[in-house]
Amino acid sequence: MGFDQEFRLDELPHEEARRLFERTMGDKVSDPEFETWVDGVVKNCGGLPLLIVLLAKGLKHKDLGAWRNASTNMDLLDVKSLAELSYNDLKEKRIKSLFLVCALTSGRISTRDSLVYCTSLGLFKKFSNTIQKVRDRLIEDLHTLQDSSLLLESDDTEQFKMHNIFVDVASSMHEEFIDMKWNALVGRKDYGFKEWSKDELKNCTAMSSPYVGIDELPQKLDCPNLRMLLLFEDNLSVKLHELFFESMKKFQVLDLTGLSLASLPSSIEFLENLKLLSLDLCHLDDVTILGKLKGLQFLSFLDSTIARLPQEIGGLTELRFLDLRGCTRLRVIEPGVLGSLVNLEELYMEDSFDQWEVEDEASLSNASLAELKSMKKLSTLYIAIPHSANLSRDLPFGELNKYKLQIGDVWDWSGEYKESITLRLKMDSGNLLEKSVQRCLRITHDLHLDGLQDGNDRIHDLCIEGFQELKHLCVQNSPSVQYIVHSIENVQCTTFTKLESLFLENLNKLETICRGCLASKSLCKLKIVKVDNCGEIKHLFPFP
């Protein structure tokens, strides 16, 4: 943190260590049969919080013999042996395998990365009819690892961390992993490709080199049993040689992050079993050769410099996941490419391509939104549509489970996204008539509205069912709006029952938020109201 003074973190005093043990253990520590052994167990932990928590969780469901052993046997009480015990206590082979995969990235892994890695390796074959089912199971499994102290506790649902001691334990394990023996090589500073022996390379099934400062890669990686390679660098001078992938036909997962790949090596076409290719933060020019990877299911260009998605990408008909987020230079997606990806379930184009053409034009030089209709399995979509005139009829927005949609030229991708179901809409007479937009209004959790036209003086009229799912609402630059909610005389209006925050800006005719008689459940969860530049407003809510 750049702070000059050092603070030594001493071991916990006995009483504090005991309180941590008791809090982690729960009610069992009060059982007289076990209580007599608590002080001995805590003393053997030497005041180390990681050891105390790990041992408490490990003993929670053990018998008296295990407690006596932990109280008297000093040899067992080291973090590495306890990590192995916790690993062996895991009931599901799948969760054990997930632990091994998490360690490959120096113990820091996102839900997204663990999802694409493990699905591509076949870990979630039982749950793989949809990516969302895999994600739900994966999150449960990650929490199981946290409950076993094999992953650190955290409130962040997107990022998970593993203690570096556990990373060492996992990296040294040689366990059964689906249909192979797990044999991982993890590079570190000044130790990697050049230092590994020929036998190590031939036997390894997973290899990771996480930002260790590689200057040069071997011309050919002779790893015939390799299933997974993670190569992370921030050095654009590191090059892949043409024959680099020639002997790796069993390959399933390839993650190349932060490399310069102006032209991908021709040997990549030998990876006929490849399921995942991640080229995040890469300098990319021509990706035409990727069209030969017919079995590819997950493809990511996150924050890369790709400028064109060529026709050949449309041949990847098995693709289920395409991530183009942060590809700010992407200006061309050749016509028909997206429409050919009929098995796509998740498409991410946040802060990326938005040069949509109108489908009725005689000769298209770029993608049109109509191509999304071919994606019958699409469940997640992040997309910007600057011109509502490009909206095609019957787009599959209403069938989505998760989306970030920006319609209109007033939005950008900055700012906070509170929910995974978000709609930002610049309104005109055209886009509100679209059935797909109407369906979105019914299920959206976070809604931003701009430019409500004359004749629409109240917001809740836009959705007949009353915005029952909406949690956050922002209305801006709409001079005709007089009320947000307006009930008919003597008829109670139930709307905005889940709304938590309300932001109103530049509404020159706004008189009050609510007019008329609201039902008791309306606005009952509202916590935040912000009103800015609404000069005609006289009171926020009716006095009752």
Side-chain angles (χ1 to χ4, degrees), residues 17 31 54 69-70 73 245 287 291-292 301 314 326 364 374 377 385 427 453 462 488 512 543:
D31 187 328
L54 192 60
N69 201 29
N73 191 340
F245 298 111
V287 294
K292 295 185 178 182
F301 295 105
L364 296 176
S374 302
K377 298 180 181 180
I385 306 166
M427 292 175 290
Q453 303 298 308
L462 298 176
I488 304 170
T512 182
F543 187 71

Side-chain angles (χ1 to χ4, degrees), residues 255-284:
D255 189 338
L256 304 173
T257 294
L259 302 182
S260 178
L261 303 167
S263 61
L264 289 156
S266 57
S267 58
I268 202 168
E269 67 179 276
F270 292 112
L271 307 181
E272 55 193 37
N273 291 307
L274 195 66
K275 297 291 186 288
L276 161 67
L277 176 60
S278 181
L279 298 169
D280 298 348
L281 295 162
C282 284
H283 183 87
L284 298 169

Side-chain angles (χ1 to χ4, degrees), residues 12-63:
L12 296 180
H14 180 74
E15 287 306 314
E16 202 171 331
R18 178 171 175 133
R19 283 199 298 273
L20 176 60
F21 181 86
E22 291 173 347
R23 189 165 68 243
T24 308
M25 175 60 66
D27 296 338
K28 190 170 183 176
V29 80
S30 304
D31 187 328
E33 189 178 21
F34 296 94
E35 190 177 15
T36 55
W37 300 99
V38 171
D39 278 331
V41 172
V42 172
K43 186 178 179 182
N44 272 356
C45 291
L48 300 176
L50 179 64
L51 197 54
I52 294 165
V53 171
L54 192 60
L55 189 59
K57 288 185 175 181
L59 290 175
K60 190 175 284 190
H61 305 294
K62 295 291 179 65
D63 59 17

Side-chain angles (χ1 to χ4, degrees), residues 504-508 510 531-538:
L504 307 172
E505 184 176 358
N506 297 334
L507 310 180
N508 297 335
L510 185 69
V531 182
D532 186 18
N533 197 27
C534 301
E536 293 300 311
I537 197 165
K538 295 183 172 57

Side-chain angles (χ1 to χ4, degrees), residues 93 101 134 155 171 221 258 294 298 329 356 381 406 460:
K93 185 178 176 182
V101 172
V134 173
D155 293 329
S171 301
L221 199 58
K294 300 298 183 184
F298 297 85
R329 300 188 190 181
W356 305 104
L381 179 64
Q406 293 188 169
H460 82 272

Side-chain angles (χ1 to χ4, degrees), residues 197-246:
S197 68
K198 288 184 178 180
D199 284 344
E200 284 179 309
L201 291 171
K202 283 187 176 180
N203 292 327
C204 81
T205 52
M207 184 184 293
S208 173
S209 183
Y211 298 105
V212 299
I214 293 173
D215 294 322
E216 187 179 2
L217 291 168
Q219 288 195 2
K220 182 179 177 182
L221 199 58
D222 191 11
C223 299
N225 293 303
L226 196 63
R227 305 287 185 90
M228 181 177 188
L229 172 62
L230 310 180
L231 178 56
F232 307 148
E233 279 297 333
D234 51 13
N235 183 358
L236 294 178
S237 65
V238 176
K239 305 297 181 186
L240 284 176
H241 297 274
E242 285 299 308
L243 301 178
F244 187 78
F245 298 111
E246 194 175 54

